Amino acid sequence: MKIFSKILAGLLVAGTALVAEAQQTDSLIIRKLYSEALSNRSSYEQLRHLSTRIGGRLSGSVQAAQAVNWSKAEMEKLGLDRVYVQEVMVPHWVRGEKEEGKIVPVKGKKVAVSVCALGGSVGTGKKGITAEIIEVKSLAEVAKLGKEKIAGKIIFFNRAMEPSHVSTFHAYGGAVDQRSRGAIEAAKYGAVAVIIRSMNLALDDYPHTGAMRYDETVAKIPAAAISTNGAEFLSHRLKDEPGLKFFLKQNPQTLPDAKSHNVIGEIKGTENPDEIIVVGGHLDSWDLGQGAHDDGAGCVQAIEVLRLMKALQIKPKRTIRAVMYMNEENGVRGGLKYAEEAKTLNENHIAAIESDAGGFTPRGFGIDGPAKHIKQIQEWKKLLEPYGLHDIGPGYGGVDIGPLRKNSPETALIGLEPDSQRYFEIHHAASDTFDKINQRELALGAGAMAALVYLLSEYGL
Amino acid sequence: MKIFSKILAGLLVAGTALVAEAQQTDSLIIRKLYSEALSNRSSYEQLRHLSTRIGGRLSGSVQAAQAVNWSKAEMEKLGLDRVYVQEVMVPHWVRGEKEEGKIVPVKGKKVAVSVCALGGSVGTGKKGITAEIIEVKSLAEVAKLGKEKIAGKIIFFNRAMEPSHVSTFHAYGGAVDQRSRGAIEAAKYGAVAVIIRSMNLALDDYPHTGAMRYDETVAKIPAAAISTNGAEFLSHRLKDEPGLKFFLKQNPQTLPDAKSHNVIGEIKGTENPDEIIVVGGHLDSWDLGQGAHDDGAGCVQAIEVLRLMKALQIKPKRTIRAVMYMNEENGVRGGLKYAEEAKTLNENHIAAIESDAGGFTPRGFGIDGPAKHIKQIQEWKKLLEPYGLHDIGPGYGGVDIGPLRKNSPETALIGLEPDSQRYFEIHHAASDTFDKINQRELALGAGAMAALVYLLSEYGL
């Protein structure tokens, strides 16, 4: 018994030493991944190209097709085991001519304000719509006002994102129902159009687009966003001049679905090639800006993860894929397609990471998956905290990787969580341009994902 | 004994309950401090004024005097118990006419590059200096090259900040000896001027100034910074054309010391008024930009801490002071003066917090002080982590609060640690302007300091 204890103790010591040694190796490799990410500017230059040479790339657009070809070519340069595309049919909505929004006082001059059509909205007709405008703060207020007050009017949803939330995503979650369901609610009571205060915590002149929905049971009425400055101004005018009218003109169109693609690059695992780890972002963007943060950043970071593995000559034990999804913004067709293909091929995705919250300094990972997986990833905290990754715990994965949940309850869906303060200033607006990208913050995001991908590929889940 | 245990156990339970209740109250108050900071834009508007209406405010300048008057008036609006100034004599260095730097090839055209005089540098004379330029990477390399190679030349220090450090302050620490001591080292071997690669991790056209030193035992030679793009270009040209000359013209002047002031606002403690907690930033800035991040941000955040206390009607148990120090950039005379006065008055400073690392999202506090104090502050982590303040531990306080150490080994000197990625892009350069400030990031810094000041005032150290 004594001898057995000694052996056991010896084994424990040896085991602890092995764990310690492995952690030292891991720590060193993570250090090298970060050093390479911070020292090499190629993903920043890729994002410059994607943002400024290709530009905004809404699903179905020429630019979206260019982005597919470009990202495929970029990955082909890396000497990966496989680069391929997945065909997917996507919605094809086009904005058409520049929108017009004007405050129409009972007396005096019309005043132009900055508006844009929400994604998926119908048009107003060539002549536009002029109608009395009513300010509300919520969907519930529309129901409360009822048909008598709403019918024939333009409804102005003006509930601001709540600034007191530290996470701007919480503030977004608390306001975005106005954008996504405002047109449905207003149409139920006979409104002729809706104007939505932009989902933006800053006060500026950019209208922010974004997806909105219709309901087949009610009329489809035009929906536009107004800049936060415009919303403040309109609200003040309404206080002074009840009965104010508004003129809205926009003529976007929904064309037939278009053919597009997801773009995928892969490094085959050496020991467990059938266990797949995905890292990705979405290639499409809204049309107003350059889609630099949303989500060019996520795309070049995903490519960078593979480049880092090659640059450090890491041969991952499990298969790593960078996936650039198409159509996150208005349909998620790429994400659905990817999951569908994975199911058809009976692929085993142990984890999927998405970067779709901007190319800002990363602060952690949100994990959607079994508690045991979350626990295991949290045990890597001491390896990740030196890089500022403290917030590692249950959370949200991402829109594009979400469909993988249907394939398996086991897959860890992981969202990179960057600092969120600046995100909604540029989200879905003309201000989402390359000059808002910081090279080091972008690189840290790639480093964070590379570190986690490396650990996942070494140890599995 | 049994009864005694029971009583003891009961006391422990009651004690634990009290602690839990206190923490709940603390947590609620911190939540309110943050909500108010994030919802009220007045400190952002103050910074707009300080940056864009007053602008760069080097010690001794008219703008520095305006900043003193302005910040005093701003604090007087808050209904504090006391607002006062401390007179202090400060160095008065003026840049004079715009600097000129030109690459002078053996054949062909001169090429202008972007340079600026380092703070405190002497001039070149009206005609400027033209001499052969030699690139080095370190002070040691100058010594190695020796008099023969260095005498009569302009020395170009071109060691870049190391990008692989996650903390840009580490990268700064590893490169800034070139700026602070380059002129001394080069002059020892007979150089006629030095050109220093700007302390900037980004590649751009802004030269970054900053303090440099002379040594009375060697000649004072002109010292200038060159932009990182300029440094890269010059280095490339030197590789192709050894023997290249450089033309530098700058004529700054050191005038007699000028009268200036620290500005101080105070809320008297209700229970321990003699225990003082200081929160502050520095009012002076370099002259090239607007001093928005460095350190207008720290000043308006310090004022905001007092405003938050008043807005929430918190009556702090200990005395809280916001101090706007003068002359951090080139002399620390304000910090020295403040500590000297504190000593004369036998004041007991339990803690001093400084915000002088930019108005970016805060990530924690670095603490210089007795281990027991660090431990106590770390025990507040669970109250602060919900706000992204994870990095709380031993660290650096700040330049202006440093002199308080001589008064007492007990004072906790605490530096607010914001995200450092973007700081050196704007540090001491014309690019440090108000448009680089994010309203929410600035507010979070004020919230972080207000939370810590509140805990310090409640519990002492």
Side-chain angles (χ1 to χ4, degrees):
Chain A
M1 192 68 180
K2 240 184 167 175
I3 285 169
F4 181 71
S5 309
K6 264 199 176 171
I7 291 171
L8 192 66
L11 282 173
L12 277 173
V13 169
T16 310
L18 277 175
V19 168
E21 198 181 298
Q23 281 190 349
Q24 221 170 16
T25 310
D26 292 340
S27 150
L28 199 67
I29 287 175
I30 290 171
R31 177 63 264 181
K32 285 182 181 169
L33 288 167
Y34 268 96
S35 290
E36 175 64 22
L38 284 165
S39 306
N40 184 301
R41 301 171 73 91
S42 61
S43 75
Y44 181 65
E45 293 305 326
Q46 283 173 331
L47 186 51
R48 188 195 301 274
H49 183 97
L50 180 60
S51 306
T52 66
R53 297 296 176 93
I54 296 177
R57 44 200 178 276
L58 191 55
S59 291
S61 66
V62 173
Q63 292 87 344
Q66 288 172 340
V68 166
N69 292 335
W70 171 83
S71 57
K72 185 162 176 282
E74 285 299 311
M75 289 205 284
E76 279 166 350
K77 289 180 197 165
L78 297 179
L80 306 176
D81 295 319
R82 195 177 165 212
V83 177
Y84 60 108
V85 298
Q86 287 176 333
E87 192 177 306
V88 54
M89 295 303 290
V90 294
H92 191 188
W93 179 84
V94 292
R95 182 171 302 279
E97 63 186 348
K98 184 151 173 45
E99 302 87 342
E100 287 178 52
K102 283 177 190 163
I103 296 172
V104 183
V106 181
K107 283 179 191 177
K109 277 192 181 172
K110 295 178 188 172
V111 185
V113 287
S114 197
V115 297
C116 72
L118 291 182
S121 175
V122 298
T124 57
K126 289 281 171 205
K127 290 188 174 170
I129 292 173
T130 303
E132 194 183 330
I133 187 159
I134 307 282
E135 178 176 343
V136 298
K137 291 293 173 70
S138 67
L139 302 180
E141 197 179 335
V142 172
K144 208 175 138 198
L145 287 172
K147 222 163 217 163
E148 201 184 324
K149 298 260 174 74
I150 298 292
K153 312 278 170 60
I154 295 175
I155 305 307
F156 167 38
F157 286 93
N158 191 30
R159 184 167 86 259
M161 285 170 75
E162 174 53 48
S164 68
H165 292 298
V166 174
S167 159
T168 61
F169 282 89
H170 290 169
Y172 182 62
V176 74
D177 63 329
Q178 300 172 99
R179 189 190 80 204
S180 53
R181 295 190 46 86
I184 297 173
E185 282 303 300
K188 278 187 196 166
Y189 302 94
V192 293
V194 293
I195 304 288
I196 316 289
R197 181 190 179 102
S198 285
M199 299 295 127
N200 179 10
L201 281 153
L203 294 170
D204 63 35
D205 295 324
Y206 294 102
H208 293 230
T209 191
M212 51 87 61
R213 273 176 269 159
Y214 286 121
D215 182 326
E216 294 305 322
T217 66
V218 292
K220 295 183 178 183
I221 60 173
I226 184 170
S227 71
T228 47
N229 275 344
E232 291 286 306
F233 180 67
L234 176 54
S235 181
H236 281 296
R237 288 291 296 257
L238 270 167
K239 279 185 189 70
D240 294 342
E241 305 166 54
L244 209 63
K245 290 185 177 177
F246 197 86
F247 168 75
L248 176 67
K249 185 175 156 193
Q250 62 182 29
N251 282 296
Q253 276 184 284
T254 299
L255 306 176
D257 282 3
K259 193 197 284 184
S260 190
H261 302 86
N262 293 329
V263 185
I264 305 167
E266 181 180 290
I267 300 176
K268 207 87 184 161
T270 52
E271 294 187 11
N272 305 80
D274 294 341
E275 295 189 16
I276 298 166
I277 300 152
V278 156
V279 58
H282 64 84
L283 210 45
D284 65 307
S285 79
W286 283 106
D287 54 334
L288 295 172
Q290 299 176 345
H293 277 289
D294 186 14
D295 183 28
C299 292
V300 301
Q301 286 171 331
I303 299 175
E304 178 71 355
V305 169
L306 298 190
R307 190 193 72 76
L308 290 171
M309 297 294 154
K310 298 300 271 187
L312 267 67
Q313 299 182 291
I314 292 171
K315 305 230 178 286
K317 291 183 181 161
R318 290 164 176 84
T319 293
I320 302 174
R321 274 188 199 157
V323 183
M324 262 116 277
Y325 305 91
M326 183 50 68
N327 186 229
E328 188 269 352
E329 296 294 3
N330 57 341
V332 204
R333 300 278 181 86
L336 290 163
K337 178 71 180 185
Y338 182 83
E340 189 188 304
E341 286 285 307
K343 190 167 190 181
T344 305
L345 298 170
N346 203 22
E347 287 177 344
N348 174 17
H349 283 74
I350 65 164
I353 309 175
E354 181 155 0
S355 167
D356 185 21
F360 306 102
T361 304
R363 309 200 69 157
F365 294 103
I367 311 163
D368 164 10
K372 62 184 175 188
H373 292 344
I374 297 175
K375 189 162 168 281
Q376 185 183 333
I377 294 168
Q378 284 178 322
E379 276 162 15
W380 293 329
K381 252 193 179 181
K382 59 184 153 308
L383 289 163
L384 301 173
E385 285 190 330
Y387 302 93
L389 301 168
H390 295 279
D391 295 326
I392 300 174
Y396 178 64
V399 170
D400 298 295
I401 59 181
L404 285 169
R405 175 59 69 235
K406 267 215 317 209
N407 294 7
S408 161
E410 286 290 318
T411 308
L413 305 179
I414 303 170
L416 178 71
E417 291 184 352
D419 192 288
S420 74
Q421 300 310 318
R422 288 173 282 152
Y423 190 56
F424 289 97
E425 295 190 1
I426 51 83
H427 187 237
H428 298 178
S431 48
D432 184 4
T433 47
F434 182 69
D435 58 299
K436 307 302 190 315
I437 298 287
N438 178 281
Q439 182 254 329
R440 292 179 57 83
E441 295 184 348
L442 182 74
L444 287 172
M449 292 204 291
L452 183 55
V453 162
Y454 165 74
L455 292 168
L456 287 164
S457 83
E458 279 294 294
Y459 301 105
L461 275 179
Chain B
M1 192 68 179
K2 237 184 169 175
I3 285 169
F4 182 71
S5 306
K6 265 201 175 170
I7 291 170
L8 192 67
L11 282 173
L12 277 173
V13 168
T16 310
L18 278 175
V19 168
E21 200 181 297
Q23 280 191 349
Q24 224 170 12
T25 310
D26 292 339
S27 150
L28 199 67
I29 287 174
I30 290 171
R31 176 65 263 182
K32 284 181 181 168
L33 288 167
Y34 267 95
S35 291
E36 175 64 22
L38 284 165
S39 305
N40 184 301
R41 301 171 73 91
S42 62
S43 75
Y44 181 65
E45 294 306 325
Q46 284 173 330
L47 186 50
R48 187 196 302 277
H49 183 95
L50 181 58
S51 306
T52 66
R53 298 296 178 93
I54 296 176
R57 45 199 177 276
L58 192 53
S59 289
S61 66
V62 173
Q63 291 86 346
Q66 288 173 340
V68 166
N69 293 335
W70 171 83
S71 57
K72 184 162 176 283
E74 285 299 310
M75 289 204 285
E76 279 166 351
K77 290 180 195 164
L78 297 179
L80 305 176
D81 296 319
R82 194 178 166 210
V83 176
Y84 59 109
V85 298
Q86 286 176 334
E87 193 178 305
V88 54
M89 295 303 290
V90 295
H92 191 189
W93 178 84
V94 293
R95 182 172 302 280
E97 62 187 349
K98 184 152 172 45
E99 302 86 343
E100 288 178 54
K102 284 178 190 163
I103 296 171
V104 182
V106 181
K107 283 180 192 176
K109 278 191 180 172
K110 294 178 189 171
V111 185
V113 287
S114 197
V115 297
C116 72
L118 290 182
S121 176
V122 298
T124 56
K126 289 283 171 203
K127 291 188 173 168
I129 292 174
T130 304
E132 194 182 330
I133 187 159
I134 306 282
E135 177 176 343
V136 298
K137 292 294 172 70
S138 66
L139 302 180
E141 197 179 336
V142 172
K144 207 173 139 200
L145 287 173
K147 221 161 217 165
E148 199 184 327
K149 299 262 174 69
I150 298 291
K153 312 278 170 60
I154 296 175
I155 305 306
F156 167 38
F157 286 92
N158 192 30
R159 184 167 86 260
M161 286 172 73
E162 174 54 49
S164 68
H165 292 296
V166 174
S167 159
T168 61
F169 282 89
H170 290 168
Y172 182 62
V176 75
D177 64 328
Q178 300 171 98
R179 190 190 79 202
S180 53
R181 294 190 46 85
I184 297 173
E185 282 303 301
K188 277 188 197 166
Y189 302 94
V192 293
V194 294
I195 303 289
I196 317 288
R197 181 191 179 101
S198 285
M199 300 294 127
N200 179 10
L201 281 152
L203 293 171
D204 63 35
D205 295 324
Y206 294 101
H208 293 229
T209 191
M212 51 87 61
R213 273 176 271 160
Y214 287 121
D215 183 326
E216 294 304 322
T217 66
V218 293
K220 294 184 180 183
I221 60 174
I226 184 170
S227 71
T228 46
N229 275 344
E232 291 286 307
F233 180 67
L234 176 54
S235 181
H236 281 295
R237 288 290 296 259
L238 270 168
K239 279 185 189 71
D240 294 343
E241 304 166 54
L244 209 62
K245 291 185 176 176
F246 196 87
F247 169 75
L248 176 68
K249 186 176 156 193
Q250 62 182 29
N251 283 296
Q253 276 185 284
T254 299
L255 306 177
D257 283 3
K259 191 196 287 184
S260 189
H261 302 85
N262 293 329
V263 185
I264 303 167
E266 180 180 290
I267 301 175
K268 206 89 185 158
T270 53
E271 294 188 10
N272 305 79
D274 295 342
E275 296 189 16
I276 297 166
I277 300 151
V278 154
V279 58
H282 63 85
L283 210 45
D284 65 307
S285 79
W286 283 106
D287 55 333
L288 295 172
Q290 300 175 344
H293 277 289
D294 186 13
D295 183 27
C299 292
V300 301
Q301 286 171 331
I303 299 175
E304 177 72 355
V305 169
L306 298 189
R307 191 194 70 77
L308 291 171
M309 296 294 153
K310 297 301 271 188
L312 268 66
Q313 299 181 290
I314 293 172
K315 306 231 178 284
K317 291 183 181 161
R318 291 165 176 83
T319 293
I320 302 174
R321 273 188 201 158
V323 183
M324 263 118 276
Y325 305 91
M326 183 50 68
N327 186 229
E328 189 269 352
E329 295 295 3
N330 57 340
V332 204
R333 300 278 182 87
L336 290 163
K337 178 72 180 182
Y338 183 84
E340 190 187 303
E341 286 287 306
K343 190 168 189 180
T344 305
L345 298 169
N346 202 22
E347 287 177 343
N348 174 18
H349 283 73
I350 64 164
I353 310 175
E354 181 155 1
S355 166
D356 184 22
F360 306 102
T361 304
R363 309 199 70 156
F365 295 103
I367 310 161
D368 164 10
K372 62 184 176 187
H373 292 344
I374 297 176
K375 189 162 168 281
Q376 184 183 333
I377 294 168
Q378 284 178 322
E379 275 162 15
W380 294 329
K381 252 193 177 180
K382 58 185 155 307
L383 290 163
L384 302 172
E385 285 191 328
Y387 303 93
L389 301 167
H390 295 279
D391 296 325
I392 300 174
Y396 177 66
V399 170
D400 298 295
I401 60 180
L404 285 169
R405 173 61 67 236
K406 267 213 318 208
N407 294 6
S408 161
E410 286 290 318
T411 309
L413 305 178
I414 304 170
L416 177 71
E417 291 184 352
D419 191 289
S420 74
Q421 300 310 318
R422 287 173 282 152
Y423 190 55
F424 289 96
E425 295 189 3
I426 51 83
H427 187 237
H428 298 178
S431 48
D432 184 4
T433 47
F434 182 69
D435 58 299
K436 308 301 190 315
I437 298 285
N438 178 281
Q439 181 255 329
R440 292 179 56 83
E441 295 183 348
L442 182 74
L444 287 172
M449 293 203 292
L452 182 56
V453 162
Y454 166 75
L455 292 169
L456 288 164
S457 84
E458 279 295 293
Y459 301 105
L461 273 179

